[in-house]
Amino acid sequence: MEVFVLKIEDPGCFWVTMKGSGPFIVDEVAYKKLSDEMNHFYGKSYKDAHEVKPVTVEEGQVCVVFSEELKCWCRAVIKSVMYCTDNYQMECFLVDYAKYIFVKSKDIRLAVEPFMQLPYRAKKCRLYRTRPVTLRIDLCEETAKTVPAKRWDSAATWYFQNLLKASTHLKAKLCAIEDNTFDVFLYVTIKDEKVCVNDDLVSKNFAHFEEDEENTRSSADYQENQTSLKAESLPVKIVNPTLVFRPVVFQKKIPANLGTGLAVSSSSIEDACQRLSTDPDENTVPIVKAIPDLPFKENAEVHIDKLQQCLNSDPLKTHVVEDDQQSSQNLSEERNFIFLSNKIQPSSSLETAPLFHEFKKELTRKKFLGPNFTESYCWPSVARGCDVVAISYQGNDPFVYIPPLLTLLQLEGCYKAFTNRSGPLALILCPGWKKAQLVFELLKTYERCSRQFHPMLIILGQNKAAASSVKIQGCEVIVTTPYSFLRLFEHHNLFCRLCHLVLDEVEVLFSDAAEQVFTILDCYKKATVSEEWEYSPHQIIAVGTRWNKHIAHLIKEFMNDPYVVITALEEASIYGNVQQVVQPCVNSERISVLLKILDSTHSNPQKVLVFTNSVNEADVIHEALKSNSMFSLKIHEESNSKYILEQWTKKYNSGSPVLLVSTDDCMQSLGITDATCVIHFSFPSPRIFGQRLHSMSDNFCNDSSVDQEHTKARSVILLTENNDCDTLGILRFLQHAEAEIPPELHDFTAKMLEAEEVKKFSRPLCAYLKTFGICKNRTACPDRHQINMQMDIPQNIPNKILQAPGCVTILPLHVVSATNYFGRIVDKEEDQYTNLAEDINEYFENPSNRISVKKMKALALYGLHEKRLFHRVQVLEIYPKEEENLFFSVKIKYIDEGRTSQVQSCQLLHLPARFQCLPPQAVEFVVCRVKPIDKEIEWNPEVTHYIRHKIKGKPHEAKIVHTLGNTAWVDQMVRVTRLSELKITVNEYNVRSEILSTGLGTDNPEHIVQLQKLCGHLKLLDHTENLESLSIKEDTADLENVCNAENMSNPQNMSSQENSTENCNSSKITLGTHSCDGVHQSKEVEDATLHQRQCFHPQIKWFQNEETVTVNVEIASVADHKCEFSKEKVIFSACSGDKFYMADMELHQCILAEKSTCVVKEKEVVIILMKEQKGSWCKLLKNKNNHVSLDFEHWEDCEDDSPFPGGTKKTYCTGAVSEDLVDSSEVSGTESDD
């Protein structure tokens, strides 16, 4: 039968699909139909979703999951179940596609019986009776022989994969079925030649045939190939013990009686090396390497070397082999510099790395080449259990510490003192949820090859209930952020057996959460001072890319003789307290300034290097020094470097100062590292700057706490008016080093920053600036941070909204993040897009109208059929056609929804011109005044997923406060629901409040202010005036009148759930109308903003009887209060904690002020208003207020006291509810009064 290979693990395990006809073969059309039906069934929106979710999940269970890669629902088998944070993560095998994916337990669906009728499309196969072999070395008898093995060699797998890849035709002959595995003879066609793969592997000595039990041959029939490795037949060469398992191409040929020339690749040798320690019955030492050009030829000539010793038992006591090819490939450019506080012998290859064997096997399987330069020094230090500080250009890679840390955790005997305690053994602190997710995924990946230590990813918000519900029993490694850890620490004892504390991206942790990190360090230090910790590991690991001043305090107060590893030269200079001096001067006066600097250092003998970037300048400097009676040396490409180095050492040893003028191209050849002062006569680029500092590396101080005045090394930069291109980079370094920066440099770099922003003028507006009002890293951000009038002119927003902005109905269709969406503005009178969509779908319903596009054009509009609907799309990019594909891929944008996607060119349809007339409808919406907690710069996916599920595809009422380009900022955004029975509409939820309720969002009061500063000459909408609640109206006209009102006496926020962060109703900001004219930002704005931050409106509930109205003000622990009564108004104010509350209530009817009272209780303030006339009030206040609601506990009293007869009682209560319960309303059409 003909087959197609889906996945290959080795010749004993691969998956195929079968073509043709037979008992196990199903036509591909049937699988396509099955996939379509599953997508329709599981992908549709239905009310009873819980009915297709499993009650429990377990390994081996058959289910249905959604594959993001394949974009469809797939049948799957659960292979493993893992717990993480608040749910279970399942590793599932897609039985029709032979793929592994990870799925959350909540996304698992039951496998409905009708979908399980077809057999699995992916068939697991193995080569029939073809078993692996390996090479065994007997060191005592000096013999090598091929013997059966338990595992396939990686070289055999590699050869098997290449053989199948090179074939043009694949056929399989089914011989047996065992344990759902098909035993087959596999035939491939290569260049019109048919080859049996089973035989080919045997002929290449990668495998042997296993005969039937009844026909098993004698041992004599299976002749093992043996070779004598006597000393007289081979040259003896002593090999370093660390290189025992590192094969090389040898110099002498093996005698012909070795066999058929078994040749293995380097990857197979590494696998065999791992098997030495795990298979005592099959100890194999690979000693040969594939000859390049003859990888699998029979009787190939190979070379060997005699093995003298076994693997070094202590991998930490290894030596670096400079000429080792693999090491030289792995070591990066950083090899030129390494700063160590303690001597470390690096592990430069995977074989010598201090990792446990199973971990090495896993790395080898993943084709890991070996540790890089930084890792080669960090792994031994971490594996010893020492405190480590590592600063490197690769310091943000968690692989710097994860492999040796996992190796330590395998040593269970180290933690016997804590067997009776619970809690984590290791804590990894990351600067944000995104990095924590990355670290957690790495731990889960490599946990499979180690003992189970059940890592947990814990990201907690401000919801205390979530922290108390976290279960950490059995967890030995916690990955989290400092803020989340402290929230968890309030409910759990986490230090009772914490041995390893890791600070990932330590410079970011200290920059954003220094107080929290030091709190954790203090707790850790106190927990490890008891006697029981004396013989238990306690280790702090800090890794990062940049030095931070807090790291010095970390080393001094919390670490014990740490290993400091710095491979970033500039950062080493900061740690080494190199004094950085910037000397401004005119370009023509550099020589005189240089002489003054040298005069000040002449009294103290020093070794001074003057660097320049040209030979001519070097000659000029040298002559100037000679004319001023200063002895100096000069070197450039044509100089005698040997003589210069002799003079450099000789002069200094005699007690005289030595001065060397050098060009940059001579630095590496000289190799000077003992200079005490470097003068940058020509301004350096950032790259050259680091190389120049290397010349002083021997004088870097090994104690970062030493004052710079007492340090030996000094760097002097001459700054002139001609230094422009590299000034910005050097300034950033000087600021990082906390050097004294002259004003001239600040002014110059300010102009450079302006020039950099001008270069970005055609870029899109920064997403962080739009979403949060601020971009934390403007210099590195590729997008612009200023207004471009041509690009930021309003687009896709109706003119009537721009002319009279206010309440609009928006329809979110594509949710980018918790506060950023794309969607449409729905016209309440006539929605042109709805009519257009109906026409497009009606047009394409006729198959004759579906004309495929033959010639694709970028930025052109086309039609696309998706999920029974037709969309207008724009081609953004056309990708090159791949050889094996008939069609090419294109990147498209749904112009009416805002999302992008990649589709095949054949899917696009010709779109008639009449359907292209309506402008694109997609508008970007940004919800204002809310941001992630804990100084995060991106929303947690949990929040985004929650908001996406809540708002996508549902109309919302929103207030547009500002527009730029295709972006509209809204404050607020409310989902309004109509209660037809009561003839009212109520707020179902407020999006901003929903984000805050997750505990992962917080108030961002500066958002609107920052937008105002950004626009400058553009006017913002009157934010506060337009924040009046979307009240319940009996017709649409009333709603529009409220939305467009210019003078609101009581502007209120839209959700009573946010009263703790909302503004007082008396605050007001005058920001003008939506115009492009200049605007003067008056002090009224500042005063109002200040007032907004200080004043809060309390939550109020009320009920009544015939004579009184009782008002409950919900404020706990009132420290000071004031209540002023008048005939038509009550003004209440109070303080609680650090907040000031005020409610200015203009009453619906008159009261008796002298008989009204105010009583303060523990959790509330009760105000009793005496009515001037007995009777029922239909509402409390003249103007509606979201913070005032009816007390439902007294709802029956309300009905009992109503003066209206039965027919009107409902109207009376409805009025009360409509005033006090609802935030906003929208009634389409006019309701009758009956």
Side-chain angles (χ1 to χ4, degrees), residues 289 627 1002:
K289 186 173 183 177
S627 63
T1002 188

Side-chain angles (χ1 to χ4, degrees), residues 569 609 611 648 667 672-676 678 690-700:
L569 216 162
L609 266 173
F611 280 111
W648 175 266
M667 283 188 293
I672 293 176
T673 58
D674 60 347
T676 58
V678 167
Q691 294 178 4
R692 291 179 179 180
L693 294 179
H694 186 219
S695 304
M696 300 185 292
S697 57
D698 288 353
N699 291 310
F700 287 177

Side-chain angles (χ1 to χ4, degrees), residues 460 463-471 487-488 491-492:
L460 295 173
N463 190 343
K464 293 185 178 181
S468 61
S469 63
V470 174
K471 306 296 181 184
R487 294 181 187 118
L488 183 66
H491 304 274
H492 300 275

Side-chain angles (χ1 to χ4, degrees), residues 144 354 363 372 479 490 557 702 788 812 956:
L363 292 178
N372 60 33
V479 185
E490 293 179 4
E557 297 296 331
N702 201 13
N788 181 340
H956 292 72

Side-chain angles (χ1 to χ4, degrees), residues 142-206:
E142 296 181 324
T143 59
K145 55 186 177 182
T146 55
V147 297
K150 295 179 180 179
R151 304 176 183 84
W152 283 96
D153 192 279
S154 57
T157 302
W158 181 80
Y159 178 74
F160 180 66
Q161 290 172 335
N162 287 349
L163 200 63
L164 269 56
K165 186 177 181 180
S167 67
T168 56
H169 199 64
L170 269 172
K171 283 194 173 183
K173 180 181 179 181
L174 181 61
C175 301
I177 300 177
E178 182 179 337
D179 297 329
N180 293 325
T181 301
F182 291 72
D183 289 289
V184 298
F185 275 107
L186 195 61
Y187 299 89
V188 298
T189 303
I190 301 176
K191 296 181 179 178
D192 298 328
E193 183 180 354
K194 192 172 183 179
V195 179
C196 177
V197 177
N198 307 54
D199 292 338
D200 195 50
L201 288 177
V202 174
S203 68
K204 298 298 189 296
N205 279 330
F206 284 127

Side-chain angles (χ1 to χ4, degrees), residues 147-351:
V147 297
K150 295 179 180 179
R151 304 176 183 84
W152 283 96
D153 192 279
S154 57
T157 302
W158 181 80
Y159 178 74
F160 180 66
Q161 290 172 335
N162 287 349
L163 200 63
L164 269 56
K165 186 177 181 180
S167 67
T168 56
H169 199 64
L170 269 172
K171 283 194 173 183
K173 180 181 179 181
L174 181 61
C175 301
I177 300 177
E178 182 179 337
D179 297 329
N180 293 325
T181 301
F182 291 72
D183 289 289
V184 298
F185 275 107
L186 195 61
Y187 299 89
V188 298
T189 303
I190 301 176
K191 296 181 179 178
D192 298 328
E193 183 180 354
K194 192 172 183 179
V195 179
C196 177
V197 177
N198 307 54
D199 292 338
D200 195 50
L201 288 177
V202 174
S203 68
K204 298 298 189 296
N205 279 330
F206 284 127
H208 73 94
F209 280 122
E210 181 185 70
E211 296 295 329
D212 294 334
E213 293 181 0
E214 59 270 22
N215 297 323
T216 302
R217 297 182 295 175
S218 64
S219 59
D221 294 330
Y222 184 79
Q223 182 64 40
E224 297 178 336
N225 296 317
Q226 297 193 16
T227 302
S228 175
L229 299 180
K230 298 299 182 182
E232 58 266 29
S233 65
L234 294 173
V236 176
K237 182 179 179 181
I238 305 300
V239 182
N240 187 312
T242 62
L243 299 180
V244 169
F245 296 122
R246 191 181 301 175
V248 297
V249 178
F250 302 103
Q251 303 300 319
K252 281 288 184 179
K253 299 178 181 178
I254 299 179
N257 63 346
L258 180 60
T260 57
L262 177 63
V264 294
S265 69
S266 59
S267 58
S268 69
I269 291 169
E270 292 173 354
D271 274 1
C273 172
Q274 304 299 336
R275 289 197 289 272
L276 175 67
S277 58
T278 55
D279 299 339
D281 296 332
E282 296 185 11
N283 288 341
T284 60
V285 181
I287 61 172
V288 292
K289 186 173 183 177
I291 303 296
D293 301 330
L294 289 174
F296 302 107
K297 296 291 184 181
E298 294 188 23
N299 299 320
E301 296 180 346
V302 294
H303 303 78
I304 63 170
D305 192 2
K306 186 173 182 180
L307 302 177
Q308 300 294 331
Q309 301 181 41
C310 291
L311 182 65
N312 189 348
S313 60
D314 185 2
L316 297 179
K317 298 178 181 178
T318 60
H319 301 281
V320 179
V321 182
E322 299 296 337
D323 59 351
D324 179 75
Q325 183 178 2
Q326 183 174 352
S327 300
S328 63
Q329 291 174 349
N330 292 336
L331 301 187
S332 66
E333 294 287 337
E334 298 176 304
R335 187 185 180 116
N336 294 327
F337 178 80
I338 177 74
F339 182 88
L340 303 171
S341 62
N342 294 294
K343 187 176 180 180
I344 303 171
Q345 202 66 44
S347 297
S348 56
S349 67
L350 188 58
E351 291 89 343

Side-chain angles (χ1 to χ4, degrees), residues 1083-1102:
K1083 191 174 184 301
E1084 181 183 358
V1085 175
E1086 300 178 4
D1087 296 340
T1089 304
L1090 180 63
H1091 186 60
Q1092 281 180 312
R1093 297 175 190 167
Q1094 294 176 342
C1095 181
F1096 300 88
H1097 198 291
Q1099 188 72 14
I1100 295 174
K1101 292 185 178 181
W1102 70 283

Side-chain angles (χ1 to χ4, degrees), residues 77-123:
V77 174
I78 298 175
K79 290 296 184 181
S80 62
V81 180
M82 298 162 287
Y83 181 78
C84 58
T85 313
D86 58 348
N87 57 61
Y88 284 89
Q89 193 92 351
M90 311 296 170
E91 185 185 32
C92 297
F93 180 76
L94 306 184
V95 295
D96 294 322
Y97 301 93
K99 292 177 180 288
Y100 286 93
I101 65 172
F102 285 91
V103 182
K104 292 183 179 179
S105 57
K106 61 183 180 181
D107 297 328
I108 300 288
R109 298 291 183 268
L110 284 173
V112 182
E113 185 176 355
F115 298 140
M116 304 306 295
Q117 302 300 317
L118 288 182
Y120 297 157
R121 177 172 172 268
K123 308 294 191 298

